[in-house]
Amino acid sequence: MSLDLEQNHKTISIVSPCYNEEDNVANCYETVKAIFEEKLPGYRCEHIFVDNASSDRTVEILREIAEKDQNVKVVVNARNFGVFRSAFNGLRYAEGDAVVVILPVDLQDPPDMIPEFVQLWESGYDVVAGARTTREEGIVMRAARGIFYTIVNRLSDVWLEPSVGEFQLIDRKVLNAVLSHNDHYPYIRGIIASCGFRRIIVPYVWRARKRGVSKHNLMALTDQALNAIFSFTRAPMRFCTLSGLVIAISCILFSLISVVFYFFNPDLAPRGTTTIIVALFFLSGIQMLFIGMLGEYITSIHNQVRGGPIVTEQERINIEGPARDPAIVKDEHLA
């Protein structure tokens, strides 16, 4: 498929977070460049790489690429702030008419889908979301993802398509709406879903990584899942409320039944310390669980109200001026 629009001159921005990806960044850049030259000749590609303080040659390679191509922008963070914070900060530098939110440099999300995304965007869709209908991953991860999305979608006001990640092309007005969120830990796919707009989902096969090692370990994925649950659902607090109500009613019923058994048949009434110990440890465990949930919310609120930049940048290449201020973006979105 080729979109021959020589007089179009529109810009498509692509954000690619990376961390210790010296084996992949050059291939990612070359692949995307070739796709635009062959299938999107009428569009300018603005490729924004956001590096999370890599300790290998990733930054050096990106610096060489940016020196040869002014359409390549590089943001180097002072430390590893995680893929979501880094990508969200990278979006603030995007100047395109449309933006590919995250294209991972390992190309597990296929860049050859971008021409189709652009074509659908030009036809009137504001959000073109890639859906990983087939994943080249293990059954354990697939089951864990299914459980996570079941929890979020049943207890949230926002529907998250289980197979849709951050590999999405969004219109400029959608980007402004996304950037108007001043969130200390942005769950980007959830923010895009909460914004609304006209959307279409395009299925594709999520590929296995060919080079390097994935940085998304179990702890990182768990942290992202908890962030999504506490940010976009009332599930934890609703669980606390309902569980407390059920436990209270059960205790009252247990007490009444015990009294009735005592009067009619004292031998059937439970006695001894076993019942007390079991009840004590059970209720103590429930209290600790609820306190932990409250702590998650308090920590999130504390981080939000404390303020500060979403990331700390060490270096910017081919970028003039600061990132777009969320307050200004919010005013532009409401205008």
Side-chain angles (χ1 to χ4, degrees), residues 62-227:
L62 289 174
R63 190 177 287 110
E64 294 173 356
I65 294 173
E67 185 177 351
K68 299 176 182 178
D69 190 345
Q70 294 298 309
N71 290 322
V72 174
K73 298 180 178 181
V74 181
V75 180
V76 182
N77 294 335
R79 67 172 178 83
N80 192 339
F81 288 91
V83 62
F84 286 153
R85 292 187 180 96
S86 298
F88 194 86
N89 186 58
L91 290 172
R92 296 167 63 188
Y93 292 103
E95 299 177 352
D97 300 281
V99 180
V100 176
V101 179
I102 292 182
L103 175 67
V105 296
D106 57 20
L107 302 184
Q108 288 187 276
D109 294 317
D112 49 15
M113 296 291 297
I114 294 177
E116 183 177 355
F117 285 7
V118 173
Q119 186 178 55
L120 290 168
W121 168 64
E122 290 284 13
S123 69
Y125 290 100
D126 299 312
V127 178
V128 183
R132 302 163 179 170
T133 54
T134 303
R135 291 176 179 266
E136 296 179 2
E137 65 177 3
I139 188 173
V140 175
M141 288 299 301
R142 192 178 299 114
R145 292 180 193 277
I147 294 172
F148 162 71
Y149 281 107
T150 299
I151 294 173
V152 171
N153 287 327
R154 287 188 177 181
L155 298 169
S156 173
D157 296 331
V158 178
W159 175 264
L160 297 181
E161 189 67 31
S163 55
V164 172
E166 280 72 33
F167 184 49
Q168 308 183 44
L169 184 142
I170 60 177
D171 186 79
R172 185 78 209 180
K173 59 177 175 288
V174 181
L175 175 64
N176 289 338
V178 170
L179 293 180
S180 67
H181 290 73
N182 186 18
D183 196 332
H184 78 284
Y185 191 177
Y187 186 62
I188 300 177
R189 72 186 69 172
I191 293 176
I192 295 174
S194 68
C195 289
F197 294 98
R198 189 183 181 197
R199 182 178 72 160
I200 186 172
I201 296 177
V202 181
Y204 69 94
V205 176
W206 191 70
R207 302 168 179 169
R209 171 185 279 261
K210 295 182 179 179
R211 300 184 182 92
V213 179
S214 175
K215 313 307 184 296
H216 292 285
N217 54 36
L218 182 59
M219 289 301 297
L221 294 174
T222 301
D223 181 65
Q224 295 173 14
L226 290 176
N227 174 54

Side-chain angles (χ1 to χ4, degrees), residues 254 269-279:
F254 179 78
R271 298 180 181 181
T273 59
T274 302
T275 304
I276 298 176
I277 293 175
V278 171

